Amino acid sequence: MISKNQDIPTPEVCTANIAAVRDALYVLNGKWKLPLIVTLLNGAKRFKEIQRSLNEITPKVLSKELKELELNGFLERKVFNTFPVSITYELTPYSESLDEVIESLRSWGEQHRKHLVKGRRLESVLQDH
Amino acid sequence: MISKNQDIPTPEVCTANIAAVRDALYVLNGKWKLPLIVTLLNGAKRFKEIQRSLNEITPKVLSKELKELELNGFLERKVFNTFPVSITYELTPYSESLDEVIESLRSWGEQHRKHLVKGRRLESVLQDH
DNA sequence: CAGTATCCCTCCGGATACTG
DNA sequence: CAGTATCCGGAGGGATACTG
């Protein structure tokens, strides 16, 4: 999509491309999506387990985030007919399709932070973590 | 970073990785960053020109977005001592470092939308554009 | 033209309490 | 345990008006 002064796509294509990028950003957006995915990397977890591993995310927010990730096909909610019922969440194979995107974001983000540090304007630009 | 059941990084590394991803997301976030970058791809533009090309973004918001992009080193603000003064904004060489990230977001976003359409749950997951 | 100043509204996410 | 219900504050962004 990006290409300075050469083979600029038509406006329609360009809009579609922006939309695609926004879709991707949208899906990973918010405070908890990444931590949530990461915490499920080493296997299925239950609601309360996830909550504990994520430095006390509130149940309302956790519930919402899990639903979104499930709708996106990144994780599966499994119900076990024990008593009381137990429920687990685990990453789907499809979630692996995120690997490349996340890795490219990660490496660019890392590089960019260094770039800003060199220019000494880190604070004015990026958030604290 | 993502790697199911194998070579899980230490918690510290993992946190740093998440931070890097968040940095990258942060920089591209918001309604106007991408359209703004795209509109500057075919050359320097003045404030009012940008405003017109971006379906009437308000001046306050445009001003803020331009400042952020400038602080990130993606564009340069040039002042010309004409009368009245004219000012242009143009992408820097550093902005090209975004190409890969954006392309990977674009292609994943495109693929993901198709994936959702197949599963018929597009509406519940992605935004309209 | 190139912005700044004010006001306003919505939505995200947090706090807290409660239910099957 | 696995969530839902309610209330709430702050940030992002829009509308409108004004300035050098």
Side-chain angles (χ1 to χ4, degrees):
Chain A
M1 172 170 77
I2 292 242
S3 48
K4 229 170 188 170
N5 298 326
Q6 43 172 333
D7 58 285
I8 306 283
T10 64
E12 300 75 39
V13 170
C14 204
T15 306
N17 284 338
I18 291 182
V21 178
R22 298 182 81 77
D23 285 348
L25 290 173
Y26 182 72
V27 153
L28 294 175
N29 226 354
K31 190 168 172 180
W32 298 107
K33 296 279 171 3
L34 270 333
L36 216 28
I37 292 174
V38 170
T39 199
L40 289 176
L41 280 176
N42 28 10
K45 281 200 177 72
R46 306 175 61 170
F47 194 90
K48 202 68 179 179
E49 287 181 289
I50 301 177
Q51 205 181 340
R52 270 189 295 263
S53 74
L54 259 64
N55 211 26
E56 299 309 312
I57 181 176
T58 64
K60 183 189 96 175
V61 174
L62 178 53
S63 172
K64 200 204 65 183
E65 300 285 302
L66 288 172
K67 273 175 191 152
E68 289 177 23
L69 291 174
E70 194 187 352
L71 279 169
N72 274 302
F74 301 150
L75 53 80
E76 192 181 354
R77 181 178 186 271
K78 287 185 176 167
V79 184
F80 298 94
N81 285 327
T82 53
F83 182 79
V85 212
S86 78
I87 292 171
T88 68
Y89 295 88
E90 67 180 305
L91 294 178
T92 60
Y94 181 65
S95 74
E96 289 167 28
S97 74
L98 285 168
D99 291 11
E100 288 176 55
V101 210
I102 294 184
E103 171 51 25
S104 96
L105 286 166
R106 190 205 59 73
S107 72
W108 186 86
E110 190 176 78
Q111 171 278 128
H112 186 55
R113 183 168 278 261
K114 283 178 194 155
H115 179 82
L116 291 177
V117 168
K118 266 198 328 200
R120 305 201 173 163
R121 51 193 166 179
L122 187 59
E123 328 65 35
S124 36
V125 183
L126 294 180
Q127 306 282 66
D128 286 347
H129 291 293
Chain B
M1 173 170 78
I2 292 244
S3 49
K4 229 169 187 170
N5 297 325
Q6 43 173 334
D7 58 284
I8 305 282
T10 65
E12 300 75 40
V13 171
C14 205
T15 305
N17 284 337
I18 291 182
V21 179
R22 297 182 81 77
D23 286 348
L25 290 173
Y26 182 71
V27 152
L28 294 175
N29 228 352
K31 192 169 171 180
W32 298 106
K33 295 280 171 0
L34 269 334
L36 217 29
I37 292 174
V38 170
T39 201
L40 289 177
L41 280 176
N42 26 10
K45 281 200 176 72
R46 305 175 62 170
F47 194 88
K48 201 68 178 180
E49 288 182 287
I50 301 177
Q51 206 182 341
R52 270 189 295 264
S53 74
L54 259 63
N55 211 27
E56 298 310 310
I57 182 177
T58 64
K60 182 189 99 177
V61 175
L62 177 54
S63 172
K64 200 204 65 185
E65 299 286 303
L66 288 172
K67 273 176 190 150
E68 290 178 23
L69 291 174
E70 194 188 352
L71 278 170
N72 274 303
F74 301 150
L75 53 81
E76 192 183 351
R77 183 178 184 272
K78 289 185 175 167
V79 183
F80 298 93
N81 286 326
T82 53
F83 183 78
V85 214
S86 78
I87 292 170
T88 67
Y89 296 88
E90 66 179 307
L91 294 179
T92 61
Y94 181 66
S95 75
E96 288 168 28
S97 75
L98 285 167
D99 291 12
E100 288 176 55
V101 211
I102 294 184
E103 170 52 25
S104 99
L105 286 166
R106 191 205 59 73
S107 74
W108 186 86
E110 189 176 79
Q111 170 279 129
H112 186 56
R113 183 169 278 261
K114 284 178 192 155
H115 180 82
L116 291 177
V117 169
K118 266 199 328 201
R120 307 201 171 166
R121 52 192 165 182
L122 187 59
E123 325 67 34
S124 35
V125 182
L126 295 180
Q127 307 282 66
D128 286 347
H129 291 294

